[in-house]
Every structure is written in structure tokens, then in C-alpha cells.
């Protein structure tokens, strides 16, 4: 989803689609290259069954991007082209930011932040907030709306992290204390021996 988002956003920022948005195109083009590297590494080391599934998803991503690009070039012009590419980029940006919702649900269910790294949540919030402000200053709803959603979801992740960050530690300490008490319960009273070595 991040790779598709970067591809569509980079396309939206091109001068013949959305003038004066070259910064969007540059940054998201770089992001697309980084995400392509992540996907390639995953495909190299993934098990065959998972690799086949991911190859199918990768083909879908490339097909969606190619469809948007071809339609915008050959069928649309001017403001209509910008609206079409902007809506496509916005939809998949929101999908990208919403993808950690399953992890957030897992955090609430398990009361543990083990599967939600703090730095990832922090930078989701910072990235969404900075692009949200950029979109507001540039009066571009195709940038401000999805990144506003990303900023809000990032803030929710940070709140969950603050709530549950110590839960695992406390749970571990509780298990340790329980184990200590069990060991104490299993200790037998000291046995007394007479001088000749027999039990009393």
C-alpha cells in the first residue's frame, strides 16, 4: 500500500498533472524506490507460498498504477486529469494510513505494544502532520485530507502506546512474583536431625 501510494502521489505531483507540486513528486518518487527495495527483499526471503501471494499483490499494485497513469495521459486533460489523479492518490493514501488499524486492534486486545514499534508510530504522526500542514498552506485538499487522516491515526497509535507501553513489563513482573511465591510454598520446613544422623 505504501508503494502504491508513493507511485500515485509521485505521478500526481508531476508538472503536467499538478503544476507547482514538484516537491511532492520528488519525495514520493524516492519513497517508491525505497518501498520497491523493501518488497524485493521480502520476495527474495519469503516462503514460496507467501511469495506467490505477494507477487499477485505486486502485480495488482502495478496494474492499478499503470491504469491511472494511462487513463490520465490519453483520456483526460487539464483540471480533469488533476482531479482524477488526485482522487486516486487520496484514496490509496488513506488506505495506507489505515493499514495499521489491525495492529491497533491487536494492541487493544493483547494490551501490549509488542507489535507496534514506537518510532514507526511517531514518524507516521510526524509525516502525516507535516504533509497536512503543507497541503493546507498550498490549498491542496488532495494532500491535506489524506495526510490529516494519517496525522490523526498516528496520534491514536501514540496514545495507545502511552497507555499500554508498561503493560508487558508489569505482566512479566507479576509472573516473576507469582513464580517466587510458588517456590516459597514448595519449600519444606527444615528437618531436624539428632546427633546420630536420624530424623526426629
Amino acid at each position: 500500500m505504501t508503494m502504491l501510494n508513493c507511485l500515485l502521489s509521485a505521478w500526481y505531483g508531476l508538472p503536467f498533472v499538478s503544476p507547482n507540486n514538484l516537491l511532492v513528486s520528488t519525495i514520493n518518487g524516492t519513497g517508491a524506490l525505497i518501498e520497491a527495495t523493501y518488497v524485493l527483499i521480502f520476495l527474495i526471503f519469503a516462503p514460496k507460498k507467501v511469495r506467490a501471494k505477494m507477487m499477485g499483490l505486486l502485480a495488482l499494485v502495478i496494474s492499478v498504477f499503470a491504469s491511472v497513469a494511462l487513463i490520465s495521459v490519453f483520456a483526460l486533460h487539464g483540471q480533469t486529469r488533476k482531479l482524477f489523479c488526485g482522487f486516486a492518490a487520496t484514496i490509496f493514501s488513506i488506505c495506507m494510513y489505515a493499514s495499521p488499524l489491525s495492529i491497533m486492534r491487536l494492541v487493544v486486545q493483547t494490551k501490549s505494544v509488542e507489535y507496534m514499534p514506537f518510532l514507526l508510530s511517531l514518524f507516521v504522526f510526524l509525516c502525516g502532520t507535516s504533509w497536512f500542514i503543507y497541503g493546507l498552506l498550498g490549498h491542496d485538499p488532495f494532500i491535506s485530507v489524506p495526510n490529516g487522516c494519517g496525522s490523526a491515526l498516528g496520534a491514536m497509535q501514540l496514545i495507545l502506546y502511552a497507555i499500554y507501553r508498561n503493560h508487558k513489563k508489569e505482566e512479566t513482573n507479576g509472573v516473576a512474583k507469582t513464580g517466587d511465591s510458588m517456590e516459597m510454598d514448595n519449600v519444606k520446613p527444615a528437618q531436624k536431625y539428632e546427633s546420630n544422623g536420624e530424623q526426629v
Side-chain angles (χ1 to χ4, degrees):
M1 290 308 304
T2 305
M3 181 178 175
L4 180 57
N5 168 63
C6 287
L7 286 171
L8 291 172
S9 296
W11 184 262
Y12 171 75
L14 291 174
F16 64 87
V17 176
S18 176
N20 304 318
N21 260 338
L22 192 59
L23 182 62
V24 175
S25 188
T26 304
I27 292 176
N28 283 284
T30 305
L33 289 175
I34 294 172
E35 293 301 328
T37 304
Y38 290 160
V39 171
L40 180 62
I41 293 172
F42 183 89
L43 291 175
I44 291 172
F45 294 103
K48 288 184 178 180
K49 190 174 182 180
V50 177
R51 186 185 304 158
K53 181 181 178 181
M54 291 302 110
M55 286 293 289
L57 289 174
L58 179 60
L60 178 62
V61 164
I62 294 173
S63 299
V64 170
F65 172 68
S67 299
V68 171
L70 291 173
I71 291 172
S72 65
V73 169
F74 294 107
L76 303 173
H77 304 279
Q79 188 68 15
T80 308
R81 175 187 291 168
K82 179 180 179 180
L83 290 173
F84 175 73
C85 295
F87 273 115
T90 298
I91 290 169
F92 288 102
S93 291
I94 293 174
C95 290
M96 179 198 71
Y97 280 123
S99 58
L101 286 174
S102 58
I103 300 299
M104 294 169 66
R105 182 179 64 180
L106 184 63
V107 169
V108 174
Q109 288 175 343
T110 61
K111 301 188 186 329
S112 170
V113 294
E114 182 179 2
Y115 300 104
M116 191 176 70
F118 172 74
L119 288 178
L120 182 60
S121 300
L122 176 63
F123 280 99
V124 166
F125 171 72
L126 293 177
C127 178
T129 303
S130 59
W131 279 110
F132 173 65
I133 295 171
Y134 177 86
L136 288 179
L137 294 176
H139 304 286
D140 193 334
F142 296 125
I143 296 177
S144 60
V145 171
N147 287 287
C149 294
S151 177
L153 288 170
M156 289 171 61
Q157 291 181 44
L158 292 176
I159 291 170
L160 285 177
Y161 193 91
I163 293 172
Y164 295 115
R165 65 191 174 89
N166 292 323
H167 184 82
K168 187 177 179 182
K169 187 183 295 184
E170 292 172 358
E171 185 177 285
T172 304
N173 292 337
V175 170
K177 290 178 181 178
T178 304
D180 292 342
S181 62
M182 288 173 66
E183 289 178 4
M184 290 297 292
D185 291 340
N186 290 331
V187 173
K188 296 180 181 179
Q191 295 176 332
K192 296 180 181 179
Y193 291 85
E194 294 180 343
S195 58
N196 60 2
E198 295 178 357
Q199 276 189 329
V200 175

